[in-house]
Amino acid sequence: MKKFLQLNSWLAIAALAWGVGYIYNARYGGELSWLRIMYEQKMAIASEVTAPQRILIVGGSGAHYTVDAGLMQQQLGIPTLNMATDGPVGLNVILPSVSDAIKKGDIVVLIPEYLILQQKDGFGDRSGQFGVAIGKPGLGGVPAKQLAQDIMLLGIPTLKGVTKSSVDLVEKGRFTGYYSDPITANGDPTVLKQRLKSDWWELQIKEPVSPHALQRIRQFKKEVEAKGATLVLGLSWIYGSTDKQTLGNISKTAEKLGEIAPVLYDKQSLNVKTDSSLFADTHYHLNSSGRRTRTTELVEQLKALNIVRN
């Protein structure tokens, strides 16, 4: 009986420790918590904006920090919402996570980063944990083993995360994170990140889109059309290399995606930019000037498809 009580005590302590870690990681304080909050805010915005036709921007941070949905709405004259989240969530989870927001008449513009398109199984580092955090464990078909591991890790804050939060609490009086800044009524970020170092290097795309990504996007098109909406794809803008391998893989990616749905991109540059002054903190994220240029280009490309009703 004594051993039994001791075991129960240890289990209770372990459960309490895991619960505290989970609250930090997924509810408030950790990076995943800020991502969850941003996602829930975007879904709430989408539920409130009703119109015969809307534009929904879907993808990872490479879409969240590059497309100005507010500006696009002004230029097109129809409600436009930035529903993009985070690349490490993975294609398999990103797509079903926005499914409930899609309504009849919508134009869904999917702009995934190349790291998302190259995933062999559609899962990223945050796939399982993101689903649990938003109350949908296993969303996207996360394998049981991976899901179990992710759930266990949800209760274990990283030393780096705790250290950062401690510093934030002392210096700012609150926790902050990469996605903790407010978003606009269109789902756009209100704060653009800046690269701390000036040593830019040109991103190389070493692989084209994976067969799995093509299959999943093809399935997503069916899901979108079943709701009476339209799927459009887009290539990301990147600060990248113009070497033969990179351009060849991007061209092949555009060709394969074009077999599924219309693809928005500049046929000459393949959306590879060689001016780092347009970019913010990553090879995908744009500063204010870059976002305006990128968004205006997307607007013209959408107009050329003749699917936007003013």
Side-chain angles (χ1 to χ4, degrees):
M1 179 61 71
K2 184 177 180 180
K3 290 183 178 180
F4 178 76
L5 291 176
Q6 287 177 336
L7 176 61
N8 280 350
S9 296
W10 281 113
L11 288 176
I13 292 172
L16 177 62
W18 184 91
V20 172
Y22 171 80
I23 290 172
Y24 170 79
N25 282 327
R27 308 315 297 178
Y28 182 77
E31 288 296 340
L32 180 64
S33 72
W34 302 119
L35 177 60
R36 174 193 63 80
I37 291 169
M38 184 183 75
Y39 164 80
E40 291 175 349
Q41 289 174 338
K42 290 191 176 197
M43 292 296 288
I45 291 171
S47 69
E48 295 171 358
V49 177
T50 58
Q53 186 176 61
R54 307 176 304 173
I55 295 177
L56 306 183
I57 307 298
V58 178
S61 65
H64 176 66
Y65 284 110
T66 64
V67 181
D68 188 331
L71 178 60
M72 182 176 287
Q73 179 171 303
Q74 293 175 15
Q75 294 182 347
L76 287 174
I78 62 174
T80 304
L81 305 175
N82 189 335
M83 302 297 296
T85 51
D86 186 48
V89 170
L91 189 67
N92 279 20
V93 180
I94 289 175
L95 299 184
S97 74
V98 300
S99 180
D100 289 344
I102 300 172
K103 308 298 181 186
K104 181 178 180 180
D106 286 346
I107 298 174
V108 180
V109 183
L110 173 61
I111 310 175
E113 297 100 308
Y114 289 103
L115 289 177
I116 297 177
L117 291 174
Q118 292 167 353
Q119 290 170 344
K120 306 303 182 185
D121 59 3
F123 298 115
D125 295 339
R126 290 180 172 168
S127 294
Q129 293 186 349
F130 180 76
V132 174
I134 66 173
K136 298 180 179 179
L139 181 67
V142 177
K145 182 178 179 180
Q146 180 180 341
L147 180 59
Q149 293 174 338
D150 287 343
I151 291 175
M152 181 181 68
L153 292 174
L154 261 179
I156 307 174
T158 65
L159 178 60
K160 180 180 179 181
V162 172
T163 301
K164 179 187 179 303
S165 294
S166 299
V167 173
D168 282 346
L169 195 59
V170 172
E171 294 182 349
K172 304 176 183 178
R174 60 187 178 89
F175 295 147
T176 64
Y178 196 82
Y179 293 107
S180 64
D181 299 307
I183 59 175
T184 69
N186 294 89
D188 291 323
T190 56
V191 177
L192 299 181
K193 312 299 181 179
Q194 296 298 320
R195 194 175 183 86
L196 299 179
K197 297 181 180 180
S198 59
D199 54 334
W200 280 97
W201 50 273
E202 296 177 340
L203 180 67
Q204 293 182 308
I205 306 302
K206 298 182 179 181
E207 297 178 30
V209 57
S210 71
H212 175 85
L214 290 172
Q215 180 183 5
R216 186 61 187 89
I217 293 173
R218 193 173 288 112
Q219 178 185 343
F220 184 57
K221 180 186 179 183
K222 294 179 180 179
E223 295 165 359
V224 169
E225 291 180 341
K227 292 176 174 285
T230 301
L231 178 64
V232 176
L233 306 174
L235 295 186
S236 292
W237 267 29
I238 62 168
Y239 174 62
S241 171
T242 56
D243 69 279
K244 185 176 180 180
Q245 180 187 44
T246 294
L247 297 181
N249 285 328
I250 293 177
S251 181
K252 184 175 180 180
T253 295
E255 179 184 352
K256 292 295 184 181
L257 291 175
E259 296 173 0
I260 301 173
V263 185
L264 308 179
Y265 70 105
D266 183 290
K267 305 301 190 296
Q268 299 300 316
S269 69
L270 299 179
N271 286 7
V272 177
K273 305 302 173 183
T274 56
D275 181 5
S276 63
S277 69
L278 294 170
F279 292 79
D281 63 327
T282 79
H283 291 78
Y284 290 94
H285 302 174
L286 297 170
N287 57 29
S288 298
S289 175
R291 288 179 73 217
R292 286 193 298 271
T293 303
R294 165 62 161 153
T295 300
T296 300
E297 180 182 271
L298 275 174
V299 166
E300 295 305 314
Q301 292 168 344
L302 276 170
K303 287 181 178 178
L305 294 180
N306 294 317
I307 59 175
V308 178
R309 301 193 302 268
N310 298 107

